[in-house]
Amino acid sequence: MKKIIVFVMLISATVFLVQHHVPLAQAEETGSVHSITLPTIPSELKEGAGKDKVMIFCAICHSPDYIPMQPRLSAKTWDNEVHKMIKVFGAPINEEDAKTISSYLAAQYGTGEK
Ligand code: HEC
């Protein structure tokens, strides 16, 4: 009988906690709000043939900043990168536009290597 009473008490305690939605992170709700200002890094891709295509297709899923953030890459590596976006991540870019984009990337952000 004792066991049953303890069990019932446990159940009601649980039900109470769930129903009253006891907040675990109350401190976060009542704490003061802090704000920080992050430095803004001007991001503008270099001018060059094909930049328009890059701005259209390479900024669909992420910032085009991903491009200048890379170290300089060879033409082949940029081309592989563009095709990785298409094959692995499903970027909707046709082969003709992919070529234009790869050429732009190699010309503006390349090492000069093929
Ligand atoms: C369909 C969505 C999509 C499109 C469109 C897209 N990317 Fe990406 N890209 C991703 C994902 C997902 C990642 C990896 C995850 C992350 O870091 O955000 C990524 C990462 C990158 C990286 C970082 C290095 C790496 O390989 O992870 C570069 C550089 C990059 N993308 C360049 C491009 C270029 C250039 C284009 C245009 C040809 C492009 N992306 C278009 C989805 C996309």
Side-chain angles (χ1 to χ4, degrees):
M1 189 62 185
K2 243 188 186 170
K3 270 189 192 160
I4 291 173
I5 291 173
V6 170
F7 182 72
V8 169
M9 280 170 68
L10 273 176
I11 294 288
S12 11
T14 310
V15 168
F16 177 85
L17 286 176
V18 171
Q19 276 178 348
H20 291 79
H21 214 87
V22 175
L24 294 172
Q26 206 160 33
E28 279 171 32
E29 284 169 29
T30 53
S32 57
V33 176
H34 296 280
S35 79
I36 55 166
T37 309
L38 293 172
T40 41
I41 301 155
S43 61
E44 181 60 31
L45 292 179
K46 292 188 200 170
E47 291 304 326
K51 182 188 168 189
D52 53 337
K53 298 275 182 200
V54 175
M55 291 307 289
I56 294 167
F57 292 113
C58 303
I60 299 173
C61 306
H62 52 66
S63 159
D65 285 357
Y66 276 40
I67 293 161
M69 269 159 51
Q70 302 303 307
R72 289 191 166 247
L73 305 172
S74 70
K76 190 171 190 317
T77 309
W78 271 126
D79 194 51
N80 288 341
E81 191 65 25
V82 171
H83 284 89
K84 175 175 141 188
M85 296 304 135
I86 297 169
K87 289 196 192 113
V88 181
F89 301 129
I93 306 171
N94 68 34
E95 199 41 47
E96 198 194 325
D97 289 335
K99 271 201 190 114
T100 308
I101 291 170
S102 295
S103 306
Y104 167 86
L105 294 171
Q108 304 305 327
Y109 297 95
T111 54
E113 288 167 274
K114 290 211 165 163

Short mmCIF file of all heavy atoms in Angstrom, two decimals, residues 57-58 60-62 66-67 70 78 81-82 84-85 89-93 101 105, ligand 1:
data_model
loop_
_atom_site.label_atom_id
_atom_site.label_comp_id
_atom_site.label_asym_id
_atom_site.label_seq_id
_atom_site.Cartn_x
_atom_site.Cartn_y
_atom_site.Cartn_z
N PHE A 57 23.62 33.08 -58.72
CA PHE A 57 23.59 31.67 -58.35
C PHE A 57 24.34 31.31 -57.07
O PHE A 57 24.00 30.32 -56.43
CB PHE A 57 24.13 30.80 -59.50
CG PHE A 57 23.24 30.81 -60.70
CD1 PHE A 57 23.65 31.39 -61.89
CD2 PHE A 57 21.98 30.23 -60.64
CE1 PHE A 57 22.83 31.40 -63.01
CE2 PHE A 57 21.15 30.23 -61.76
CZ PHE A 57 21.57 30.82 -62.95
N CYS A 58 25.34 32.06 -56.73
CA CYS A 58 26.16 31.64 -55.60
C CYS A 58 25.73 32.30 -54.30
O CYS A 58 26.39 32.14 -53.29
CB CYS A 58 27.64 31.89 -55.89
SG CYS A 58 28.17 31.05 -57.39
N ILE A 60 22.37 32.06 -53.41
CA ILE A 60 21.05 31.50 -53.10
C ILE A 60 21.04 30.90 -51.70
O ILE A 60 20.12 31.12 -50.92
CB ILE A 60 20.65 30.41 -54.13
CG1 ILE A 60 20.58 30.97 -55.54
CG2 ILE A 60 19.32 29.76 -53.74
CD1 ILE A 60 20.36 29.92 -56.62
N CYS A 61 22.08 30.15 -51.39
CA CYS A 61 22.08 29.40 -50.12
C CYS A 61 22.94 30.03 -49.04
O CYS A 61 22.72 29.80 -47.86
CB CYS A 61 22.57 27.98 -50.35
SG CYS A 61 21.68 27.11 -51.64
N HIS A 62 23.96 30.73 -49.44
CA HIS A 62 24.84 31.33 -48.43
C HIS A 62 25.36 32.64 -48.98
O HIS A 62 25.18 32.94 -50.15
CB HIS A 62 25.99 30.38 -48.06
CG HIS A 62 26.75 29.85 -49.24
ND1 HIS A 62 27.52 30.65 -50.07
CD2 HIS A 62 26.83 28.59 -49.75
CE1 HIS A 62 28.06 29.90 -51.01
NE2 HIS A 62 27.64 28.65 -50.86
N TYR A 66 31.54 33.64 -49.04
CA TYR A 66 32.26 32.36 -49.00
C TYR A 66 33.36 32.34 -50.04
O TYR A 66 34.34 31.63 -49.88
CB TYR A 66 31.29 31.20 -49.27
CG TYR A 66 30.54 30.71 -48.06
CD1 TYR A 66 30.05 31.61 -47.12
CD2 TYR A 66 30.31 29.36 -47.85
CE1 TYR A 66 29.36 31.16 -46.01
CE2 TYR A 66 29.62 28.90 -46.73
CZ TYR A 66 29.14 29.81 -45.82
OH TYR A 66 28.45 29.37 -44.73
N ILE A 67 33.20 33.10 -51.10
CA ILE A 67 34.20 33.09 -52.18
C ILE A 67 35.49 33.80 -51.76
O ILE A 67 36.54 33.17 -51.71
CB ILE A 67 33.59 33.65 -53.48
CG1 ILE A 67 32.50 32.67 -53.97
CG2 ILE A 67 34.66 33.86 -54.55
CD1 ILE A 67 31.51 33.25 -54.94
N GLN A 70 37.88 32.13 -49.14
CA GLN A 70 38.76 31.01 -49.47
C GLN A 70 40.16 31.51 -49.77
O GLN A 70 40.34 32.64 -50.21
CB GLN A 70 38.23 30.27 -50.71
CG GLN A 70 36.84 29.74 -50.60
CD GLN A 70 36.68 28.79 -49.43
OE1 GLN A 70 37.42 27.83 -49.29
NE2 GLN A 70 35.72 29.08 -48.57
N TRP A 78 38.52 25.55 -58.33
CA TRP A 78 37.29 26.36 -58.36
C TRP A 78 36.19 25.64 -59.13
O TRP A 78 35.04 25.63 -58.71
CB TRP A 78 37.55 27.75 -58.98
CG TRP A 78 37.98 28.77 -57.98
CD1 TRP A 78 39.09 29.55 -58.04
CD2 TRP A 78 37.28 29.17 -56.79
NE1 TRP A 78 39.15 30.39 -56.94
CE2 TRP A 78 38.05 30.18 -56.16
CE3 TRP A 78 36.11 28.77 -56.17
CZ2 TRP A 78 37.67 30.80 -54.97
CZ3 TRP A 78 35.72 29.37 -54.98
CH2 TRP A 78 36.49 30.37 -54.39
N GLU A 81 34.79 23.04 -57.06
CA GLU A 81 33.97 23.67 -56.01
C GLU A 81 32.58 23.99 -56.56
O GLU A 81 31.56 23.71 -55.92
CB GLU A 81 34.69 24.94 -55.54
CG GLU A 81 34.11 25.55 -54.28
CD GLU A 81 34.24 24.70 -53.03
OE1 GLU A 81 35.14 23.85 -52.95
OE2 GLU A 81 33.39 24.89 -52.14
N VAL A 82 32.54 24.58 -57.76
CA VAL A 82 31.26 24.92 -58.38
C VAL A 82 30.44 23.64 -58.60
O VAL A 82 29.24 23.59 -58.30
CB VAL A 82 31.47 25.67 -59.72
CG1 VAL A 82 30.16 25.82 -60.49
CG2 VAL A 82 32.10 27.04 -59.46
N LYS A 84 30.73 20.86 -56.99
CA LYS A 84 30.32 20.31 -55.69
C LYS A 84 29.01 20.98 -55.25
O LYS A 84 28.09 20.31 -54.77
CB LYS A 84 31.43 20.56 -54.66
CG LYS A 84 31.08 20.14 -53.24
CD LYS A 84 32.29 20.32 -52.33
CE LYS A 84 31.90 20.83 -50.97
NZ LYS A 84 33.08 21.19 -50.15
N MET A 85 28.91 22.30 -55.47
CA MET A 85 27.69 23.02 -55.09
C MET A 85 26.50 22.45 -55.87
O MET A 85 25.39 22.35 -55.35
CB MET A 85 27.82 24.53 -55.36
CG MET A 85 28.88 25.21 -54.54
SD MET A 85 28.65 24.96 -52.78
CE MET A 85 30.32 24.58 -52.28
N PHE A 89 25.12 19.78 -53.19
CA PHE A 89 24.13 20.62 -52.49
C PHE A 89 22.92 20.96 -53.35
O PHE A 89 22.00 21.61 -52.88
CB PHE A 89 24.80 21.87 -51.95
CG PHE A 89 25.93 21.58 -51.00
CD1 PHE A 89 27.17 22.17 -51.15
CD2 PHE A 89 25.74 20.70 -49.94
CE1 PHE A 89 28.21 21.89 -50.26
CE2 PHE A 89 26.77 20.42 -49.05
CZ PHE A 89 28.01 21.01 -49.22
N GLY A 90 22.97 20.58 -54.64
CA GLY A 90 21.79 20.78 -55.49
C GLY A 90 21.61 22.18 -56.03
O GLY A 90 20.48 22.61 -56.29
N ALA A 91 22.71 22.92 -56.21
CA ALA A 91 22.61 24.27 -56.78
C ALA A 91 22.04 24.17 -58.21
O ALA A 91 22.53 23.38 -59.01
CB ALA A 91 23.98 24.94 -56.80
N PRO A 92 21.00 24.96 -58.50
CA PRO A 92 20.35 24.87 -59.81
C PRO A 92 21.11 25.68 -60.88
O PRO A 92 20.66 26.73 -61.30
CB PRO A 92 18.97 25.47 -59.53
CG PRO A 92 19.21 26.45 -58.43
CD PRO A 92 20.38 25.97 -57.63
N ILE A 93 22.26 25.19 -61.29
CA ILE A 93 23.10 25.93 -62.24
C ILE A 93 23.37 25.03 -63.44
O ILE A 93 23.83 23.89 -63.27
CB ILE A 93 24.44 26.32 -61.57
CG1 ILE A 93 24.19 27.09 -60.26
CG2 ILE A 93 25.32 27.12 -62.52
CD1 ILE A 93 25.43 27.34 -59.43
N ILE A 101 30.90 30.85 -64.39
CA ILE A 101 31.21 31.09 -62.98
C ILE A 101 32.62 30.61 -62.64
O ILE A 101 33.40 31.33 -62.01
CB ILE A 101 30.15 30.41 -62.07
CG1 ILE A 101 28.80 31.13 -62.22
CG2 ILE A 101 30.59 30.38 -60.62
CD1 ILE A 101 27.62 30.42 -61.58
N LEU A 105 35.70 32.87 -61.24
CA LEU A 105 36.38 32.57 -59.96
C LEU A 105 37.88 32.39 -60.16
O LEU A 105 38.68 32.91 -59.39
CB LEU A 105 35.76 31.31 -59.34
CG LEU A 105 34.30 31.46 -58.90
CD1 LEU A 105 33.71 30.11 -58.51
CD2 LEU A 105 34.18 32.44 -57.75
C1 HEC B 1 22.03 24.81 -53.16
C2 HEC B 1 22.70 25.61 -52.18
C3 HEC B 1 24.05 26.21 -52.56
C4 HEC B 1 24.33 26.98 -53.66
C5 HEC B 1 23.39 27.49 -54.75
C6 HEC B 1 25.74 27.28 -53.57
N1 HEC B 1 26.27 26.74 -52.44
FE1 HEC B 1 28.17 26.94 -51.77
N2 HEC B 1 27.74 25.85 -50.13
C7 HEC B 1 26.54 25.27 -49.88
C8 HEC B 1 26.64 24.48 -48.66
C9 HEC B 1 25.51 23.68 -48.03
C10 HEC B 1 27.96 24.65 -48.20
C11 HEC B 1 28.63 24.01 -46.99
C12 HEC B 1 27.96 24.33 -45.72
C13 HEC B 1 28.30 25.67 -45.21
O1 HEC B 1 29.44 25.90 -44.81
O2 HEC B 1 27.39 26.56 -45.17
C14 HEC B 1 28.62 25.54 -49.14
C15 HEC B 1 29.92 25.97 -49.00
C16 HEC B 1 30.60 26.74 -49.92
C17 HEC B 1 31.99 27.15 -49.81
C18 HEC B 1 32.91 26.87 -48.63
C19 HEC B 1 33.83 25.76 -48.92
C20 HEC B 1 33.15 24.41 -48.96
O3 HEC B 1 33.32 23.72 -49.96
O4 HEC B 1 32.41 24.06 -48.02
C21 HEC B 1 32.29 27.85 -50.95
C22 HEC B 1 33.62 28.47 -51.34
C23 HEC B 1 31.08 27.90 -51.75
N3 HEC B 1 30.07 27.22 -51.10
C24 HEC B 1 31.02 28.50 -52.98
C25 HEC B 1 29.87 28.52 -53.78
C26 HEC B 1 29.85 29.05 -55.14
C27 HEC B 1 31.04 29.63 -55.88
C28 HEC B 1 28.56 28.93 -55.57
C29 HEC B 1 28.01 29.29 -56.94
C30 HEC B 1 28.50 28.46 -58.02
C31 HEC B 1 27.78 28.29 -54.49
N4 HEC B 1 28.62 28.07 -53.43
C32 HEC B 1 26.43 28.02 -54.54
C33 HEC B 1 25.39 25.36 -50.63
C34 HEC B 1 25.27 26.07 -51.80
#
